[in-house]
Amino acid sequence: HIIFKKMKASFILLTFICLFISITNKMQFTAKVMHEMNRAGGYTISPDKKYIIFSYSKWSEFEGKKTNYLKYKEIDSTEEPKDLTTPEEGKADVNPVMSSAFPNFVIFTRGADLYYIDFPPKEGSQPQRLSSYPIEFNDYKLKQNTLIFSASVYFKCDTLNCTKELDDEEATHDYKVYTNIEMFHWDHWLTEGKGNHIFYQRIETAENDTKLVLVGEPKDLTAGMETNAPTMDAGSESYDISNDGTKVAFTGLDRSNEAMNTSWKVYLYELENMKEPMLLSTKNDGRSNCPRFNKDDTKIGFLTMTIPLLESDTFYLSVYNVLTNTIDQVVNVIDKSIN
């Protein structure tokens, strides 16, 4: 009788354990559950401040692919967001931007190219290709008519086509040749003599303001410099365009001795008045990064470290005066890094 009671209690306990496991298994936050969540991504605000345009991500378990497309919403409206581009499995429409120079278009990236679409959307509006560069670009920014993007190029090249030709030649090899120590960066092999450069191109309207076109060929603002600009893995946070679209401030790292050099530098390029960038962080031997223009473009703030070769040093704030060509102030009175 005692044995029977113990067996009955054990059976009841086992039943509760199985039921608990069954319930908790259904509530587990797995990779599959995470992928199935639809997520909003990068966004932009229309020049009139009435709309928000953002990328939207959906996951197809059957295809095993993520689809990104653009949605928009009137900010003061209670209506649900509407589709701006059509979702197509495996296709990625991301990084939307708008400019007051052409407020009736949204520019975005699709694959390795820039596209644009009417906004607000007209009946039958379809995305139109804006760029068809021979190599992929990494990231981009837009102010007024000024398009700035970065791409990985060979330092000895002065055109994107030159890099394309050397890349095609490199693809036929199963080896790499190194004469310097920098060969491996975190999780990928570097190519000696190759790094990020900043490019400039203008965007204009055409055909009675019904289309957008790129003017001329991209101009390498760091041509001839053996410099990573932006620095590895930093992206568009490492450069900024003035609000009037006439100047670019960016961060660069000298690649000639990269393995022993953490001294990132901040440069300024006036698009119409300069033939090469001007170094701003002349008196700083530590790392400088993330330049930002103020509203009237008279000052540029950027983050600075003071100790050379110490990547974990505290970030302070330096402010460069464009009118007087001086560092107006350095905010270093707190003991925490400025983000």
Side-chain angles (χ1 to χ4, degrees):
H1 183 68
I2 295 174
I3 294 175
F4 177 75
K5 280 188 174 182
K6 287 184 177 180
M7 289 178 62
K8 184 177 179 181
S10 299
F11 177 77
I12 294 173
L13 178 61
L14 182 61
T15 300
F16 274 109
I17 290 174
C18 291
L19 182 61
F20 177 77
I21 292 175
S22 176
I23 293 173
T24 54
N25 278 344
K26 290 181 180 179
M27 297 173 63
Q28 284 182 351
F29 186 69
T30 63
K32 179 176 180 294
V33 172
M34 183 179 69
H35 281 309
E36 289 173 347
M37 294 174 65
N38 297 331
R39 292 186 291 264
Y43 70 92
T44 188
I45 305 294
S46 62
D48 61 10
K49 312 298 182 187
K50 292 182 179 180
Y51 294 92
I52 181 170
I53 301 95
F54 58 95
S55 63
Y56 194 67
S57 173
K58 296 180 69 175
W59 174 262
S60 170
E61 181 183 2
F62 179 74
E63 292 288 336
K65 294 180 180 178
K66 183 171 65 173
T67 299
N68 291 86
Y69 59 103
L70 301 184
K71 284 178 170 286
Y72 71 97
K73 184 185 185 303
E74 190 172 354
I75 294 174
D76 292 332
S77 171
T78 57
E79 293 184 2
E80 290 292 312
K82 300 176 182 178
D83 293 351
L84 181 58
T85 62
T86 304
E88 299 179 38
E89 285 190 352
K91 188 170 289 185
D93 294 342
V94 293
N95 305 321
V97 297
M98 295 190 74
S99 169
S100 57
F102 27 82
N104 297 323
F105 297 101
V106 174
I107 297 175
F108 59 96
T109 58
R110 174 181 287 183
D113 294 306
L114 288 171
Y115 280 72
Y116 68 93
I117 191 169
D118 296 317
F119 189 84
K122 303 173 184 176
E123 186 176 352
S125 292
Q126 293 295 325
Q128 304 295 319
R129 187 194 296 261
L130 179 61
S131 72
S132 55
Y133 299 127
I135 63 173
E136 291 189 15
F137 62 89
N138 299 325
D139 39 65
Y140 78 106
K141 281 186 177 180
L142 178 69
K143 287 279 183 69
Q144 301 297 332
N145 297 81
T146 299
L147 171 69
I148 300 295
F149 67 90
S150 72
S152 180
V153 298
Y154 290 90
F155 299 134
K156 63 183 180 181
C157 287
D158 56 4
T159 66
L160 297 179
N161 280 318
C162 170
T163 290
K164 168 65 174 172
E165 292 170 2
L166 292 179
D167 276 344
D168 290 345
E169 180 183 347
E170 179 79 13
T172 65
H173 302 159
D174 57 0
Y175 61 87
K176 287 182 182 291
V177 177
Y178 292 95
T179 60
N180 291 314
I181 196 170
E182 69 276 5
M183 298 180 290
F184 200 73
H185 182 79
W186 291 109
D187 60 352
H188 62 274
W189 291 95
L190 301 176
T191 299
E192 193 168 299
K194 189 178 185 183
N196 296 330
H197 269 194
I198 295 281
F199 289 83
Y200 157 64
Q201 201 167 14
R202 281 185 65 82
I203 301 178
E204 300 282 3
T205 58
E207 299 184 19
N208 296 321
D209 296 336
T210 61
K211 290 187 177 182
L212 295 179
V213 293
L214 290 170
V215 179
E217 294 297 320
K219 179 182 179 180
D220 187 348
L221 302 184
T222 43
M225 297 174 63
E226 193 170 334
T227 298
N228 254 334
T231 53
M232 281 287 189
D233 307 323
S236 60
E237 69 181 31
S238 285
Y239 58 91
D240 194 30
I241 308 170
S242 62
N243 295 286
D244 62 5
T246 64
K247 304 177 186 70
V248 180
F250 63 89
T251 306
L253 171 65
D254 183 4
R255 282 289 303 275
S256 60
N257 187 26
E258 186 173 2
M260 295 299 295
N261 180 17
T262 64
S263 182
W264 300 1
K265 301 295 185 182
V266 171
Y267 299 84
L268 175 66
Y269 198 112
E270 295 184 16
L271 297 173
E272 301 301 327
N273 301 322
M274 288 183 176
K275 293 185 178 180
E276 60 183 29
M278 179 177 71
L279 178 63
L280 299 188
S281 52
T282 54
K283 297 181 180 180
N284 183 43
D285 293 325
R287 173 173 293 186
S288 301
N289 196 20
C290 301
R292 293 292 182 270
F293 286 90
N294 69 338
K295 287 187 177 181
D296 62 5
D297 297 329
T298 59
K299 294 180 180 180
I300 303 172
F302 56 93
L303 301 179
T304 54
M305 294 179 178
T306 59
I307 304 176
L309 301 178
L310 182 59
E311 291 184 316
S312 59
D313 191 18
T314 301
F315 263 132
Y316 299 120
L317 177 65
S318 294
V319 181
Y320 172 80
N321 189 313
V322 175
L323 302 178
T324 62
N325 191 25
T326 58
I327 300 291
D328 271 357
Q329 64 187 74
V330 178
V331 180
N332 58 359
V333 294
I334 56 177
D335 59 358
K336 297 292 184 183
S337 279
I338 297 173
N339 293 326

